[in-house]
Amino acid sequence: MSDPIYLDYNATTPLDPRVLDVMLPYFTQVYGNAASNDHAFGLEAKRAVDKAREQIAALINARPDEIIFTSGATESDNIAILGIAEKYAHKGNHIITCVTEHKAVLDVCHKLERDGNRHGKFEITYLPVDQFGLVDPEAVRQAVTPQTILISIMAANNEIGTIAPIAEIGAIAAEYDLFFHTDAAQAGGHIALDVQTMNIHMLSLSAHKMYGPKGIGVLYRRRSNPRVQLEPVIYGGGHERGLRSGTLNVPAIVGFGEAARLAKKEMVAEDEKFRAWTQQMYRQLVDELGDVHLNGHPTQRLPHNLNVSIPGIKARALIPQLKDVAIATGSACTSAEVKPSHVIQALGFGDGRAHSALRISVGRLNTNAQIKQAGKSLISAVQQLRVI
Ligand SMILES: *Cc1c(COP(=O)(O)O)cnc(C)c1O
């Protein structure tokens, strides 16, 4: 049997072979420590890192010196939220976030709420979302108190693909002089992001969600208007402006830079192709199966994401029937537990809808033929279950 068709690009993307080509010399030839600037080995590594910093900064309209390399979006989210909570506790102890955030944001907020830091405990507002997974910017405004120091709202949701009104929320943050962090692990390299026009002060990215290597991420941290100061989470050699000590992973950083360059260049054309595929698959499912619910927003969504619930069909029962297609139930990050997805539950349709949710996400290595085949397989698996 051939490999199943991979339709789980929201969980991780394959490394683009063009990215691998650019990375390879940095394993065995340019192996210097980017912080060792006494010799050519180190200097060449540093030049490569600087170039990647520029490429990633260009993707989000930031300055290269505002890019902090981390191990991934999880770490970036931790540094952003914990770093603000530590540095600005004298100004207040209230953070506004949203119920559909990734666990990398929610669990940090829970920690600050439960245990606090050395300044005391924090109060967290978890804003609800509407039936499409959208958070209302007016609700953000109404949640602001004199104690609020930070708003953290994700740019695009990893399960249902809903794109948040980031620019509107950024405008509110600017109006009230609050810091605004956005987890853009899913949005980065897929939709246009501009930290200037969107008033974003911190932004988390992950290379492996945009055809770069795993284990490398970025925290964008604004350095002026306003200058964001963060208390580090990791201490050591003072790398990355003291915000993230540890020897830089040069090959991965170089790969992330190239992935960002390719995404900037190819994003618009790619989006069009992916949107056509997800819409085609959705229509195919509705035509053949009738009752199919789309989870997430009909238009304000990541083009490569489709999330559907088929009434009466439990995702956990369907997946074993689907031998030639790799898709996800709920969020990959919580699939170790058999809890229904907190994101689908937040849409307010009840547990059944959450237990039925299927996340189908397409990407660069898929073909027209694969999309057609995957749709057929999915339909026949559902029809088999309906007979049982
Ligand atoms: C994947 C993902 C993360 C975690 O990123 P890692 O780089 O794997 O740590 C965080 N937030 C969102 C929205 C994600 O999709």
Side-chain angles (χ1 to χ4, degrees), residues 72-74 77 102 104 154 156 158 183 185-186 206 208-209:
T74 299
D77 290 345
H102 192 275
M154 72 200 316
N158 48 299
D183 177 342
Q186 291 291 338
S206 178
H208 78 95
K209 303 282 174 68

Side-chain angles (χ1 to χ4, degrees), residues 120-372:
K121 292 194 183 181
F122 280 72
E123 279 182 36
I124 317 285
T125 298
Y126 301 93
L127 291 172
V129 293
D130 69 10
Q131 60 174 321
F132 303 119
L134 281 175
V135 56
D136 179 4
E138 275 314 303
V140 176
R141 181 196 297 281
Q142 273 156 28
V144 175
T145 76
Q147 291 298 311
T148 309
I149 51 174
L150 173 68
I151 300 169
S152 180
I153 303 283
M154 72 200 316
N157 187 273
N158 48 299
E159 294 189 39
I160 55 175
T162 298
I163 297 170
I166 289 303
E168 286 89 333
I169 296 168
I172 290 167
E175 187 185 327
Y176 291 89
D177 256 332
L178 304 171
F179 291 125
F180 177 35
H181 164 254
T182 187
D183 177 342
Q186 291 291 338
H190 296 276
I191 61 169
L193 292 169
D194 184 324
V195 295
Q196 300 302 328
T197 60
M198 294 173 157
N199 283 302
I200 295 166
H201 307 129
M202 290 167 288
L203 179 147
S204 305
L205 289 174
S206 178
H208 78 95
K209 303 282 174 68
M210 47 184 281
Y211 306 94
K214 294 172 179 55
I216 188 77
V218 147
L219 177 66
Y220 154 76
R221 184 274 308 238
R222 191 185 280 247
R223 296 198 65 209
S224 55
N225 298 317
R227 179 180 172 81
V228 179
Q229 291 184 288
L230 296 170
E231 185 67 27
V233 171
I234 289 174
Y235 294 85
H239 309 73
E240 299 300 270
R241 300 183 179 273
L243 275 177
R244 208 286 191 166
S245 288
T247 301
L248 291 177
N249 183 350
V250 178
I253 288 169
V254 166
F256 196 173
E258 177 67 2
R261 187 186 73 81
L262 292 170
K264 190 167 192 285
K265 192 158 64 79
E266 297 173 2
M267 187 155 68
V268 173
E270 220 165 37
D271 272 4
E272 213 171 302
K273 181 164 94 173
F274 297 162
R275 187 174 291 112
W277 279 346
T278 50
Q279 288 181 351
Q280 174 193 330
M281 193 174 276
Y282 179 60
R283 273 195 307 269
Q284 201 178 350
L285 294 174
V286 172
D287 287 350
E288 298 289 330
L289 300 171
D291 206 10
V292 175
H293 299 298
L294 178 72
N295 295 315
H297 197 277
T299 54
Q300 291 294 108
R301 62 184 304 121
L302 291 172
H304 61 300
N305 168 287
L306 175 65
N307 193 309
V308 292
S309 291
I310 302 165
I313 303 292
K314 283 217 163 66
R316 303 237 143 233
L318 183 72
I319 297 290
Q321 304 288 318
L322 254 187
K323 301 220 166 47
D324 61 342
V325 185
I327 62 171
T329 65
S331 163
C333 302
T334 50
S335 65
E337 315 163 48
V338 213
K339 274 198 264 174
S341 146
H342 71 283
V343 175
I344 314 281
Q345 276 182 314
L347 306 179
F349 298 109
D351 276 7
R353 177 95 161 227
H355 282 296
S356 296
L358 302 169
R359 183 184 68 183
I360 301 160
S361 44
V362 305
R364 221 172 254 178
L365 264 48
N366 291 134
T367 61
N368 285 322
Q370 281 189 330
I371 301 301
K372 277 211 187 76

